[in-house]
Amino acid sequence: MRYGVVAEELASEVLADLSAEAQREALQLAELAHADPRAWPDVRDPGSIEEIREAFGARCWIQYMPHNGAIEVREIGWAG
């Protein structure tokens, strides 16, 4: 992915299987999350020390973890 956005292996595999349009939307959403990572809801389990957030677009969503100026995308979903 782009600078400041890292994808876990599963998220990379999902992204590779999406159409070009879906990939663009998912990458744009990741860039929005990277620009302001704490603007999206924290969905971590109670007691978890990992900060996990979810961002939603028109037809996709991502689950990510903020890391010192970057985000790690853990999951990508597509409803289009």
Side-chain angles (χ1 to χ4, degrees), residues 44-50:
R44 73 181 113 181
D45 292 327
S48 175
I49 59 170
E50 293 181 321

Side-chain angles (χ1 to χ4, degrees), residues 21-32:
E21 177 185 0
Q23 287 178 359
R24 270 192 307 279
E25 186 174 326
L27 291 172
Q28 287 172 348
L29 183 58
E31 288 176 2
L32 284 173

Side-chain angles (χ1 to χ4, degrees), residues 5-26:
V5 178
V6 177
E8 286 192 352
E9 185 176 343
L10 180 59
S12 293
E13 290 174 9
V14 170
L15 188 63
D17 288 339
L18 295 175
S19 69
E21 177 185 0
Q23 287 178 359
R24 270 192 307 279
E25 186 174 326

Side-chain angles (χ1 to χ4, degrees), residues 22-67:
Q23 287 178 359
R24 270 192 307 279
E25 186 174 326
L27 291 172
Q28 287 172 348
L29 183 58
E31 288 176 2
L32 284 173
H34 175 252
D36 191 3
R38 289 180 174 77
W40 301 90
D42 189 342
V43 297
R44 73 181 113 181
D45 292 327
S48 175
I49 59 170
E50 293 181 321
E51 182 179 356
I52 301 171
R53 296 183 173 265
E54 288 181 340
F56 298 89
R59 295 176 291 180
C60 71
W61 60 270
I62 61 169
Q63 187 178 79
Y64 65 94
M65 295 173 45
H67 291 290

